[in-house]
Amino acid sequence: MRKKDRGFSLIELIIAIAILIILTGLLAPQFMKYIEKSRKAACLNNIDVVIQEYQVALIENQKVTPEEVLDDIKPKCPSKGFYSIIHKGEELFVINCSEHGNSDGISTDPAVAAAQKAYNEMKDFVGLTHDETIKITGTNSNNTAIRDYLLNKQGGSWPEFDKQYTQKAGFNKNLYVQPYIFKGTSDYKRTDDIIVYAGASKDNTGDAWVAYLIYNPQNGLWYHAPDNKSTYRIQDKPWDVIQKDTIDNGWLPVN
Ligand SMILES: [Zn+2]
């Protein structure tokens, strides 16, 4: 049949091209989002590499600054952002990309890194919708249910608190970094009500509300009682009360 070898008719070609144009238009934003996501991931990975190199240098007892490590590695941001170091206290810094922001939450200090992780996980929970919250903790959601959920994500045990800090604070026992959230009137929706502390119980049984050390998310410091023995019961207290009772009343930073 002759008609068969003729290939596309003009109208078929126009329809095919029109479909392609529509498809491209539909997929382009998704595609761009995907590309941008990959670029950001690559960029944050660059930042991780610098932090790891810095930690290796510290372990090997080399005297380096994060600036020197950054200058040495010269990472390239895929979106052409440039990197800078923001210092937030001794040994505590974030690396910022002008395009992708920073890796806030990463500290070279393990005790601070553990606190930031606990804080961020509780913050993620607070960011969930009402329905998602109910799915996880049930309608009677309470601090214990939320902590059980987060503990489960950690494999059933809160991470051990840095031993050097424990000793510096005057305690001779294992402590564990864990988050707490005060309900208040907000149904667990205020990040201001997140508390991170070091307690003696590695899970949610036992004396869970006694804080041996308390983390201040505003400055990235861990605090302990000046007499090197007092503890503080955080149960049913919002962060501003805890802060007033402890830090404003003489608790000292351990880092
Ligand atoms: Zn970047």
Side-chain angles (χ1 to χ4, degrees):
M1 252 207 288
R2 265 193 72 77
K3 223 182 168 188
K4 258 206 169 150
D5 328 317
R6 189 179 51 92
F8 290 113
S9 73
L10 182 61
I11 192 84
E12 283 164 344
L13 204 60
I14 289 170
I15 289 169
I17 290 169
I19 289 172
L20 277 178
I21 289 172
I22 290 166
L23 276 180
T24 313
L26 285 175
L27 294 176
Q30 280 308 107
F31 190 60
M32 285 316 292
K33 238 190 246 170
Y34 175 74
I35 297 220
E36 195 33 55
K37 230 175 155 180
S38 322
R39 282 179 178 158
K40 185 171 183 182
C43 177
L44 294 181
N45 189 49
N46 284 346
I47 291 175
D48 276 351
V49 168
V50 175
I51 288 169
Q52 278 161 22
E53 282 294 313
Y54 176 73
Q55 284 170 333
V56 168
L58 284 188
I59 289 164
E60 289 173 352
N61 266 328
Q62 298 172 25
K63 280 218 162 85
V64 288
T65 63
E67 282 84 355
E68 283 164 349
V69 177
L70 180 64
D71 196 52
D72 194 35
I73 295 178
K74 289 192 180 59
K76 283 198 174 71
C77 166
S79 304
K80 299 197 165 57
F82 60 89
Y83 297 105
S84 55
I85 311 260
I86 303 163
H87 288 270
K88 296 185 137 188
E90 214 185 331
E91 304 242 323
L92 184 61
F93 63 90
V94 293
I95 302 176
N96 190 70
C97 167
S98 59
E99 289 299 311
H100 294 118
N102 63 53
S103 57
D104 214 346
I106 301 173
S107 168
T108 57
D109 181 326
V112 177
Q116 287 169 327
K117 187 166 181 279
Y119 183 89
N120 286 335
E121 282 181 357
M122 186 60 95
K123 198 170 138 198
D124 285 348
F125 183 89
V126 166
L128 297 177
T129 65
H130 182 68
D131 287 353
E132 288 167 328
T133 307
I134 284 176
K135 219 186 260 172
I136 292 167
T137 60
T139 41
N140 294 323
S141 109
N142 57 37
N143 181 68
T144 303
I146 296 166
R147 275 167 51 89
D148 281 346
Y149 165 70
L150 296 177
L151 180 68
N152 206 24
K153 277 174 75 168
Q154 299 261 15
S157 175
W158 299 117
E160 209 179 305
F161 189 62
D162 193 279
K163 278 224 166 64
Q164 271 183 307
Y165 280 15
T166 313
Q167 281 161 11
K168 259 202 220 168
F171 301 112
N172 191 16
K173 51 161 62 180
N174 290 342
L175 298 177
Y176 302 88
V177 180
Q178 48 203 293
Y180 175 88
I181 187 157
F182 170 72
K183 185 171 189 181
T185 53
S186 63
D187 197 23
Y188 305 110
K189 286 290 161 218
R190 271 164 42 96
T191 49
D192 287 357
D193 291 330
I194 299 172
I195 293 119
V196 174
Y197 69 104
S201 181
K202 68 162 133 185
D203 54 28
N204 295 341
T205 61
D207 202 358
W209 315 127
V210 174
Y212 290 74
L213 292 96
I214 295 171
Y215 175 71
N216 182 357
Q218 279 124 20
N219 62 9
L221 298 175
W222 276 99
Y223 287 81
H224 70 104
D227 64 0
N228 277 14
K229 64 171 191 239
S230 297
T231 55
Y232 182 86
R233 200 168 174 84
I234 59 166
Q235 192 176 21
D236 295 330
K237 295 192 182 88
W239 166 242
D240 51 1
V241 169
I242 294 174
Q243 190 175 20
K244 201 171 273 157
D245 286 351
T246 57
I247 296 171
D248 294 353
N249 277 324
W251 278 42
L252 303 166
V254 72
N255 47 331

